[in-house]
Amino acid sequence: MLRELTEAGGTLSLSGLERASSLARSTVDRVTATLARMGYVRFDGRDVHLSPRLMELGNAYMSALRLPALLSPHADALADELDESVSLAVADRDGIRFIHQATRRRAMSLSFRIGDLLPAERTAPGPLFATQWTAADWQRWRERRAADPRDLSFTAVPPRTYEGDVEDDETFVHRTREASTQGWSLDDQLIEPGLVAISVPVRSPGPGGRIASVASVVSHTSRHTARDLRTTLLPRLRSAVRSMERELQAAPPPEPGPPPSDLALWTGASKQQLGREFIESLARGLTVLTAFGEGRSELTLTEVSQATGLARATARRALITYEHLGLVAPTGRTYTLTPRVLSLGFPPLSRTSLPEIAQPHLADLTSRIHESTSLAVLSDSGKEIQYTARVATARVMSVNITVGTRLPAYATALGRVLLADASERIREADERPALTAHTITDKHTLEGALASVRAQGYALVDEELEEGLRSIAVPIRDRSGRVVAALNTAMHASRRTPRQCVTDLVPELTATAARVQTDLHTAARFTHVPLT
């Protein structure tokens, strides 16, 4: 079901899931109820949506792999230098999956989603990975090509307009031989017209120099021809790859972090609360994937059992099942995660934005406090806030603000929260006109108010923006602790006193902000989450 939701872009109706999975409706209901309890999906009416928390499965693979953390800064620097998109990919059997994207912000944007699976023969990295294929790998590739000549099973790329034939297969074999000889590979509009890319392998340190990843520069034919890529960009790509390989050589062994111990304890409690609607075996099996991570790339059965709190027999059944599904691979006495773990929701969720993350949490908050709630960010100038998400309550008299609205930061609770964490330069303003008789306009008085916000963790603004309008806000912080957004509720001053706002609403706002932050931190671990 997670894969069906992934291929559908992250959302399907319950009946759509029933059709896609060919499972009985009662089974679909139980599975989705279990996944919702785990925080991996959420319901919106009859629709099921993937939730950011599901990305913890892909994060476990990416942490264990280590390549995104080590190589991404070099890919980002190369993208800035070339002003072109740069990607990192790993092999997944006879396909490739992206583990990092550094994209350029243009009208003609070129990027794939992290975790997307592409057929090897239609990419620049594919021939490089194929130089290491065994005879069995080549046989599996030929069988797949015969069964799916138009690449319909690869939903991340446009289907072929014609069925591939023997000539196409031999072309890929020839490209692989060339890649083995020259040490680089080219995609000249194989995925779709206009798209070109050039790739160079990043090899692991030590004897043999196996290909750990492939770095690619991606462009389009209006900016670079295929020849341009070879003559202009290839030297700089090779230089960046050498830096990546030096990084792999110099990186010390990772310190194993604490395993997420006793993950199985909550499943028993959930089973008691939900009864037959909770599939305990499914929940316990998924916890096995989160036992892996940085410094825990290879685990024995005993280590998986200890990390999850599962009995050895339960952990063993889960590992055998995931080996059959291609999610884990045995390496002697240990097991490792495979890139296929990224197929469990990572591609659509890797494009999520902060407003999308916050929206369902705002809806829950609004339903509890019966007041409209909003999310806002600070403008580049620091003078205004911009509303990026909002859920309105049903009242005759309500605060009427739409997404995209900009208001002066100094006179709003949202702005005070954001300014309290901003630099002194951003807090400077040319002028602060009095919007009401209560508006703070004096610089020193405002700085005192911002100091109070930093100390107490919330901002209360009473009739400073508009007569009768009272608002209270709390911060949303990123993984580094920096305030990147603010969450608020606003109402007419007659509905709650300032004291009631603090006692009744601050705990609700703070709890909601914590849930948004948890999802944001999970989503942003290996992806860029836009704030707007």
Side-chain angles (χ1 to χ4, degrees):
M1 284 196 199
L2 292 175
R3 283 178 173 166
E4 293 295 344
L5 282 164
T6 300
E7 293 188 2
T11 302
L12 271 177
S13 65
L14 286 167
S15 57
L17 267 177
E18 182 183 359
R19 290 190 297 271
S21 65
S22 300
L23 295 172
R25 179 56 180 268
S26 60
T27 303
V28 170
D29 290 342
R30 293 180 66 210
V31 170
T32 52
T34 301
L35 294 173
R37 180 72 170 192
M38 300 182 74
Y40 289 170
V41 303
R42 63 178 177 86
F43 294 104
D44 182 8
R46 305 302 292 173
D47 289 337
V48 183
H49 301 262
L50 295 178
S51 295
R53 185 174 175 180
L54 178 61
M55 296 178 75
E56 71 181 11
L57 303 182
N59 287 345
Y61 164 74
M62 302 276 260
S63 297
L65 184 66
R66 294 190 76 203
L67 294 179
L70 294 174
L71 305 186
S72 295
H74 299 279
D76 295 343
L78 180 63
D80 290 339
E81 176 190 347
L82 302 179
D83 195 26
E84 299 288 353
S85 296
V86 175
S87 66
L88 297 171
V90 294
D92 185 353
R93 296 193 180 183
D94 59 351
I96 70 160
R97 286 193 192 271
F98 293 100
I99 59 171
H100 182 71
Q101 291 277 348
T103 59
R104 301 294 88 191
R105 297 187 65 179
R106 296 196 186 97
M108 182 66 70
S109 178
L110 296 172
S111 68
F112 291 95
R113 302 173 303 181
I114 296 177
D116 271 337
L117 178 67
L118 277 64
E121 67 276 7
R122 290 178 64 184
T123 68
L128 293 165
F129 287 122
T131 62
Q132 299 182 154
W133 284 2
T134 65
D137 294 329
W138 280 104
Q139 179 61 29
R140 182 170 56 242
W141 171 75
R142 294 184 188 280
E143 290 171 356
R144 187 262 294 168
R145 290 283 298 116
D148 184 18
R150 293 191 58 206
D151 298 331
L152 298 177
S153 59
F154 293 89
T155 56
V157 297
R160 291 178 185 266
T161 56
Y162 65 94
E163 292 193 358
D165 52 25
V166 173
E167 183 177 347
D168 289 320
D169 292 354
E170 290 308 312
T171 297
F172 179 61
V173 173
H174 177 69
R175 291 176 62 218
T176 301
R177 292 196 191 104
E178 284 189 330
S180 179
T181 301
Q182 59 199 17
W184 55 270
S185 181
L186 189 69
D187 166 11
D188 189 0
Q189 308 180 77
L190 294 171
I191 292 177
E192 61 180 72
L195 189 150
V196 290
I198 192 163
S199 298
V200 172
V202 181
R203 297 189 179 273
S204 299
R210 298 280 298 176
I211 297 176
S213 179
V214 168
S216 304
V217 177
V218 186
S219 188
H220 58 82
T221 50
S222 297
R223 291 177 58 83
H224 292 282
T225 65
R227 178 180 176 81
D228 287 340
L229 293 181
R230 294 194 301 271
T231 58
T232 306
L233 303 186
L234 179 57
R236 285 183 278 180
L237 174 58
R238 278 178 158 160
S239 176
V241 164
R242 286 193 292 271
S243 297
M244 293 179 187
E245 291 175 339
R246 286 193 294 270
E247 183 77 38
L248 294 181
Q249 180 73 41
E255 290 290 334
S261 60
D262 294 326
L263 287 170
L265 288 181
W266 69 270
T267 63
S270 296
K271 183 65 175 178
Q272 288 183 343
Q273 293 175 20
L274 299 183
R276 69 177 304 275
E277 295 304 309
F278 184 78
I279 306 176
E280 191 172 11
S281 59
L282 171 61
R284 289 189 165 186
L286 286 170
T287 65
V288 165
L289 299 178
T290 62
F292 296 82
E294 187 171 2
R296 303 191 308 278
S297 60
E298 296 185 12
L299 296 177
T300 64
L301 172 58
T302 299
E303 289 169 334
V304 170
S305 174
Q306 291 172 344
T308 59
L310 296 172
R312 279 175 55 90
T314 303
R316 179 174 177 274
R317 285 195 297 272
L319 290 168
I320 290 173
T321 300
Y322 291 142
E323 181 183 350
H324 175 72
L325 294 173
L327 297 173
V328 303
T331 53
R333 294 181 57 251
T334 62
Y335 294 86
T336 61
L337 297 182
T338 73
R340 192 153 296 189
V341 173
L342 296 175
S343 70
L344 304 179
F346 214 89
L349 291 172
S350 70
R351 291 285 180 86
T352 194
S353 66
L354 180 56
E356 291 169 327
I357 290 173
Q359 193 72 27
H361 297 292
L362 293 181
D364 289 343
L365 176 61
T366 295
S367 68
R368 291 197 306 274
I369 65 175
H370 307 292
E371 301 286 358
S372 299
T373 59
S374 303
L375 187 81
V377 298
L378 199 62
S379 67
D380 291 339
S381 67
K383 297 179 181 180
E384 296 176 310
I385 60 166
Q386 179 180 353
Y387 285 81
T388 58
R390 180 165 172 79
V391 175
T393 189
R395 285 183 181 271
V396 174
M397 183 173 63
S398 62
V399 179
N400 184 22
I401 296 174
T402 58
V403 171
T405 297
R406 289 180 176 239
L407 294 174
Y410 69 93
T412 63
L414 290 162
R416 298 265 176 91
V417 165
L418 294 163
L419 288 173
D421 193 66
S423 66
E424 185 174 355
R425 179 188 62 80
I426 290 179
R427 293 199 300 270
E428 294 288 343
D430 297 332
E431 57 179 340
R432 300 183 188 91
L435 305 176
T436 72
H438 306 282
T439 307
I440 295 175
T441 59
D442 177 70
K443 175 183 177 181
H444 297 293
T445 305
L446 180 60
E447 283 293 337
L450 297 181
S452 296
V453 172
R454 285 191 289 271
Q456 64 197 16
Y458 66 88
L460 176 64
V461 171
D462 195 10
E463 301 188 78
E464 294 188 43
L465 178 70
E466 184 178 315
E467 296 287 351
L469 181 64
R470 183 169 290 151
S471 177
I472 193 163
V474 297
I476 302 292
R477 300 180 183 273
D478 64 13
R479 290 177 60 86
S480 69
R482 182 173 62 95
V483 175
V484 293
L487 182 155
N488 92 321
T489 186
M491 71 218 74
H492 189 270
S494 64
R495 287 217 285 269
R496 283 185 173 89
T497 66
R499 180 176 179 81
Q500 287 173 327
C501 286
V502 174
T503 57
D504 298 348
L505 298 180
V506 167
E508 292 282 3
L509 289 167
T510 302
T512 299
R515 287 189 281 271
V516 173
Q517 285 178 171
T518 297
D519 284 351
L520 173 61
H521 297 174
T522 300
R525 188 168 181 186
F526 293 103
T527 66
H528 170 67
V529 177
L531 301 181
T532 59

